[in-house]
Amino acid sequence: MRLLTHNLLQCHVKGCSTNNYPLRVEATNVVHKEADFNPEFITHMLQKIEWNALRTTASALGVAELPEILPLSMEGQEELLKQIHLVLMETHIMDGKLVCPGCSHEYLVTHGVGNMLLIEDEV
Amino acid sequence: MSRPEQVAPADVYYNEEEAHKYTTNTHIIDVQKRMTERAIELLALPEDSTCFLLDIGCGSGLSGEELSENGHVWVGLDLSPSMLNVALEREVDGDLFLQDMGQGVGFRPGSFDGAISISALQWLCNADQRGHVPHKRLARFFGTLYAALARGARAVFQLYPQTPQQMGMITAAAMKAGFTGGLVVDFPNSTRAKKMFLCLFAGVAAEVPKGLDGTEGEDGQAGPSMPYSRKDRDAHFGKGKGKKAATKSRDWIADKKERRKRQGKDVRPDSAYSGRSRGPKF
Ligand SMILES: [Zn+2]
């Protein structure tokens, strides 16, 4: 699971609608996999990404220290875009769990696959 | 031959053996690939841009590979661990989740530029477990999907509805969640090539694309597109201003009478008033 996808994931337990994001990463295995650098796609996804959550997660996993504030335009920000690319597209959570800050539900991640199944009374 | 969803739930039906069979059968691969290509076409994404897409019921990643080949980044959901294992073995590019679409998709608002689903939505109409209520599961699925899509994004579902009622149930749930759109039928006159795509728009209404005809179909008639509008939805859910739905038109009544006649049921003779408004009831 890329950190890009993790950044867009929220807890979906019934009734858990505030403080259900970001899911805290308790990873036992995080890997780096090279991916093609696509600055247009990164810029596009920055509109959807929650920047503070990304900074916190990247820092907690020791992947990168991202700047506090994004520049208004990403034009000419090649270095920063490459750093964000490394965090979003090349960092994969392989094993561990994602924990909801609100209801403490734990979503397991195994071989990179997130288990989002709920038991019936959580739906 | 029964369709898989009529035999057992997805996570049971697609055991290791079925999952492998499914992924090595060249005919299935070919059909899946073509249906995915068509679904991508119906998404009408901006040209030459990489989009972030959701693949609902991604299975072993056959459709996802098509998304990758088209340059997109994707996330795949599936209820079958065996299918997902095959996807892992095949080292697909998408991020995978073990997920039951009837429990909703847990993504932030506006996350995806589009969603596709190949041969998966009809599973949602089954009640495979105690406590499964299909219309509730459909409502939760479409509600959370609508939220997870960017405004103006589309969701395209290739599906095999078992009955027209099932199709109606699916469509009603989608409309209630806020989607507009309609059904696209490719090669409607060919039992072999006929394919149905439910083409839904999130937030921005658009014209429902035309179905395909010609080379693949047997007698080359264009597929009808059946748009559903907010008006249909309002009529269905009793909102609107009490206007009669298009379904009560003269043609609709004539069709219904014809069907009832064929079923050997009593039918009132047609009159000059058939299908006409008879004035206010009170
Ligand atoms: Zn929660």
Side-chain angles (χ1 to χ4, degrees), chain B residues 52-127:
Chain B
F52 190 58
L53 303 177
L54 184 63
D55 185 351
I56 301 151
C58 64
S60 57
L62 292 173
S63 44
E65 279 174 348
E66 205 53 37
L67 296 175
S68 298
E69 268 177 41
N70 279 266
H72 301 300
V73 178
W74 57 278
V75 169
L77 318 177
D78 206 279
L79 182 59
S80 161
S82 306
M83 281 292 209
L84 291 172
N85 277 332
V86 178
L88 284 180
E89 282 170 28
R90 300 170 68 237
E91 301 185 331
V92 296
D93 281 326
D95 285 332
L96 304 172
F97 288 91
L98 180 64
Q99 196 154 350
D100 173 0
M101 55 182 162
Q103 297 185 338
V105 297
F107 290 94
R108 311 239 320 143
S111 294
F112 294 98
D113 302 312
I116 65 159
S117 172
I118 306 298
S119 316
L121 192 58
Q122 64 272 7
W123 291 98
L124 203 46
C125 296
N126 296 354

Side-chain angles (χ1 to χ4, degrees), chain A residues 11 13 16 20 100 102-105:
Chain A
C11 180
V13 169
C16 183
N20 64 349
C100 173
C103 74
S104 303
H105 184 97

